[in-house]
Amino acid sequence: MKLPQTVNILLLGGGGREHAFAWKIAQSQRLEKLYIAPGNAGTKACGVNVDLNPSNFPALKQFVLNNYINLVVVGPEQPLVEGVKDYFLNDPEIRHIPVIGPSQEAAQLEGSKEYAKAFMMRHGVPTAAYFVVTKENVEEGCAFLASDRVRAPYVLKADGLAAGKGVLILDDLGEAQRELRAMLEGKFGAASKKVVIEEFLSGIEVSVFVATDGVSYKMLPEAKDYKRIGEGDTGLNTGGMGAVSPVPFATEEFMEKVRTRIVEPTIRGIREEGLDYTGFIFIGLMNCGGEPKVVEYNVRMGDPETEVVLPRITSDLVDLFEGIVHKSLNEKVLEVTPQTAATVVCVSKGYPGDYEKGMPISGLPATAETGNSLVFHAGTACCKNGEEVVTAGGRVLAVTSLGDSIPMATARSYETIGNIDYDGLYCRHDIGHDLL
Ligand code: AMP
Ligand code: GLY
């Protein structure tokens, strides 16, 4: 597969991650035309939004043929786990159009916790000890929890995709055994028909991102994500309330361990197993007293981490995509600013529980850039008249700023958020505080 000098790109997805991708792609000298399916109110300033469901593969095929698309970039995991890459490769009419993302088999690194754990075992990638349970061996699973092979807190994970909700961490043995049975009975639907029990890793988490052409790789800037709804990292888990990059505790020495012990064995494993992987790998790591261990693989970029990773990259993103497609990533140069990027996510009242949509948003800039910030849309939509922008999701905006320090970057984002309003706007005011 060969990319022409200028390209028409179809980007799949419609969250904050995709607005950040669209914003960065739109800056490329090599872009002819960008389409985003379905996109959001913010991505309209970067290209053309298309009312297409990324899981409707026949509709994607029609669209890419009708619009002379040269490259498809997949934002979220769902279409990858459903096999969008394989759909393209198996159809003679569209197999020449490269897809940034792994095959369905390789996407199991995110789609099945058991697959990911077994892969890590085969390739010596450090991770928590684990035990797989299905209905057939539920008694063995309960006995495992009670044995001296694990200790509280007990980590129970649904094997399949569960929209970020499939992990339980429990202190009480009896409760862990009850929850294990409930998960196998379908507490998280089909995703928890199989459960992975894991050793609890204590430490501080960091998100590491790798671009790969399946042979070579480039490490992108790392980030720290703030998962809980409440300040001081309290309350319910969310899709992410903010992020910071770089991460001060991810020192050169620590990142060298990540590279040699985790990234390289992972890429070698992909190569040795003949997995078709041309895209991004998101490695969720725990820093256990200076030793990195893998918590999870994701087969896509993180959200809201992308909103701090891409603004730090100063080189051309389409050029990086070309390296992935042409399997010449090792010849490409990735330039990164040493400045700190911070993003603060504004959510709807009630999130991550029930929330209302359709609240008019005031004070939004016309494009992402405003003053010292970048306002990325996550859950937004244009109202019927096309003028008004309204909330359309739990996470509404991700406001990113660059600065010489974490306090400078976050202060800029909070200042920008001060000019924006909608009914029920909430954000955490402590993004980055734990890193000072
Ligand atoms: P996952 O879906 O695997 O990313 O898990 C969701 C979250 O649960 C992670 O981001 C961690 O904060 C936490 N978690 C998952 N596995 C472990 C573990 N083995 N030890 C401690 N925390 C974990
Ligand atoms: N921020 C975590 C994720 O994208 O899964």
Side-chain angles (χ1 to χ4, degrees):
M1 284 190 239
K2 205 104 190 116
L3 279 191
Q5 187 52 33
T6 59
V7 286
N8 294 325
I9 294 180
L10 173 64
L11 170 65
L12 302 184
R17 167 183 49 214
E18 286 76 24
H19 189 186
F21 263 117
W23 165 82
K24 183 70 182 157
I25 290 170
Q27 292 165 31
S28 175
Q29 298 295 321
R30 303 193 50 185
L31 180 70
E32 191 72 36
K33 197 147 188 199
L34 172 64
Y35 299 90
I36 311 100
N40 59 37
T43 59
K44 279 190 167 176
C46 316
V48 178
N49 283 356
V50 204
D51 189 13
L52 267 184
N53 176 350
S55 294
N56 184 346
F57 300 162
L60 294 182
K61 173 181 172 179
Q62 268 321 305
F63 185 85
V64 299
L65 289 174
N66 292 344
N67 294 279
Y68 307 99
I69 297 296
N70 306 107
L71 178 69
V72 178
V73 178
V74 187
E77 66 278 12
Q78 196 74 33
L80 295 166
V81 172
E82 290 167 353
V84 66
K85 172 81 168 277
D86 312 68
Y87 184 87
F88 272 69
L89 282 175
N90 292 332
D91 188 325
E93 287 179 80
I94 51 173
R95 67 156 39 117
H96 62 284
I97 303 170
V99 175
I100 299 290
S103 67
Q104 186 166 32
E105 187 187 1
Q108 291 298 298
L109 286 171
E110 175 165 0
S112 163
K113 304 274 185 201
E114 183 187 25
Y115 180 95
K117 293 299 265 190
F119 176 92
M120 287 185 248
M121 290 299 130
R122 285 196 294 280
H123 301 290
V125 176
T127 186
Y130 73 109
F131 187 78
V132 182
V133 192
T134 61
K135 264 190 171 165
E136 277 68 59
N137 66 342
V138 58
E139 297 310 328
E140 225 183 310
C142 288
F144 177 81
L145 284 169
S147 75
D148 57 10
R149 293 166 67 197
V150 274
R151 280 183 298 176
Y154 304 96
V155 182
L156 306 180
K157 296 187 173 185
D159 179 65
L161 291 185
K165 298 202 171 82
V167 178
L168 298 180
I169 299 180
L170 304 160
D171 286 318
D172 181 71
L173 173 63
E175 193 187 356
Q177 291 171 327
R178 274 193 303 282
E179 288 291 351
L180 173 63
R181 290 181 197 277
M183 286 174 84
L184 295 170
E185 292 296 336
K187 179 175 176 132
F188 299 111
S192 68
K193 293 280 177 201
K194 194 183 269 174
V195 173
V196 176
I197 302 175
E198 259 186 34
E199 166 197 9
F200 180 82
L201 299 175
S202 62
I204 178 159
E205 281 183 79
V206 52
S207 304
V208 169
F209 300 96
V210 182
T212 184
D213 54 18
V215 185
S216 62
Y217 70 90
K218 283 258 181 284
M219 285 174 74
L220 310 183
E222 78 286 350
K224 182 173 189 290
D225 173 24
Y226 291 78
K227 292 177 196 287
R228 304 295 189 105
I229 188 74
E231 292 180 2
D233 243 347
T234 53
L236 294 174
N237 249 320
T238 71
M241 296 297 292
V244 171
S245 174
V247 180
F249 67 77
T251 59
E252 225 168 275
E253 187 194 352
F254 179 79
M255 291 306 287
E256 202 44 37
K257 288 183 190 171
V258 172
R259 176 192 294 279
T260 55
R261 297 183 196 170
I262 292 169
V263 176
E264 288 184 349
T266 299
I267 301 296
R268 202 180 310 126
I270 285 171
R271 208 168 47 218
E272 281 174 11
E273 298 194 16
L275 295 175
D276 179 352
Y277 207 126
T278 52
F280 297 99
I281 313 174
F282 161 179
I283 309 176
L285 289 180
M286 196 70 85
N287 176 355
C288 304
E291 304 304 309
K293 288 193 179 183
V294 176
V295 173
E296 62 170 347
Y297 286 121
N298 293 303
V299 297
R300 52 172 173 87
M301 289 295 288
D303 195 351
E305 290 98 322
T306 304
E307 291 94 304
V308 292
V309 170
L310 293 184
R312 289 191 61 215
I313 296 179
T314 51
S315 46
D316 189 296
L317 194 60
V318 175
D319 198 48
L320 188 81
F321 290 150
E322 180 180 72
I324 294 175
V325 171
H326 292 185
K327 298 207 182 293
S328 61
L329 201 50
N330 53 353
E331 293 165 20
K332 299 290 181 185
V333 180
L334 183 78
E335 283 162 15
V336 174
T337 171
Q339 283 208 303
T340 290
T343 197
V344 177
V345 176
C346 301
V347 303
S348 297
K349 185 180 173 198
Y351 176 80
D354 294 338
Y355 55 83
E356 280 181 58
K357 296 182 190 177
M359 305 298 165
I361 310 174
S362 64
L364 280 176
T367 61
E369 288 98 349
T370 177
N372 286 314
S373 301
L374 294 161
V375 177
F376 293 123
H377 292 222
T380 68
C382 286
C383 245
K384 292 239 157 43
N385 61 24
E387 303 274 294
E388 195 174 52
V389 177
V390 298
T391 65
R395 290 192 291 174
V396 178
L397 302 167
V399 180
T400 299
S401 310
L402 290 166
D404 291 337
S405 64
I406 293 174
M408 195 180 285
T410 52
R412 287 174 168 170
S413 287
Y414 290 121
E415 189 186 336
T416 299
I417 290 171
N419 300 323
I420 298 173
D421 197 25
Y422 55 85
D423 200 17
L425 184 155
Y426 167 77
C427 67
R428 274 178 60 170
H429 284 89
D430 66 340
I431 300 305
H433 282 196
D434 60 324
L435 298 175
L436 300 179

